[in-house]
Amino acid sequence: MKNDMKDNKVEQYLIDLKCDYRKLKPNIWLLEDNEHEGMMVMYADPLVIIRLQLMSIPAKKRVELYEKLLELNASDMIRGAYGLEGDKIVIVESLEYETLDLNEFRAALDAIGLALVQHYPILRVYSETKSR
């Protein structure tokens, strides 16, 4: 029962924010609306993790790309950070479930969206496919 309550809190926030989403598994949601498309929200006690796969890691210019990601993490990321997951670059935000409220959840989604809009044009020059 306890897990259902936590599941419902995150899902209720998605509903309150009018996000289009698909529940992939218990405690995992894929956002499908234009503003948050491709963001995944996961509850893994004690955290709510929001992640967005940005692009594949290119075979060339890796060092320059990694340097740029670190610069953006240090200077321009409001929340969360860029990271590597397998052969992909992701944006990840972790929130503490117990103290999470709707405003904090909204701010995290908005910050990832803002980072995507502002940083993708900078980062795509390193991409071999030039698309997200």
Side-chain angles (χ1 to χ4, degrees), residues 31-54:
L31 304 189
E32 297 178 325
D33 55 286
N34 288 338
E35 192 174 343
H36 306 106
E37 185 177 2
M39 286 187 203
M40 188 165 295
V41 179
M42 298 167 277
Y43 168 69
D45 192 28
L47 299 174
V48 174
I49 301 162
I50 304 169
R51 63 178 294 283
L52 175 68
Q53 182 177 303
L54 186 65

Side-chain angles (χ1 to χ4, degrees), residues 110-123:
D110 290 347
I112 290 174
L114 181 62
L116 176 64
V117 168
Q118 291 181 334
H119 299 162
Y120 187 69
I122 296 167
L123 297 173

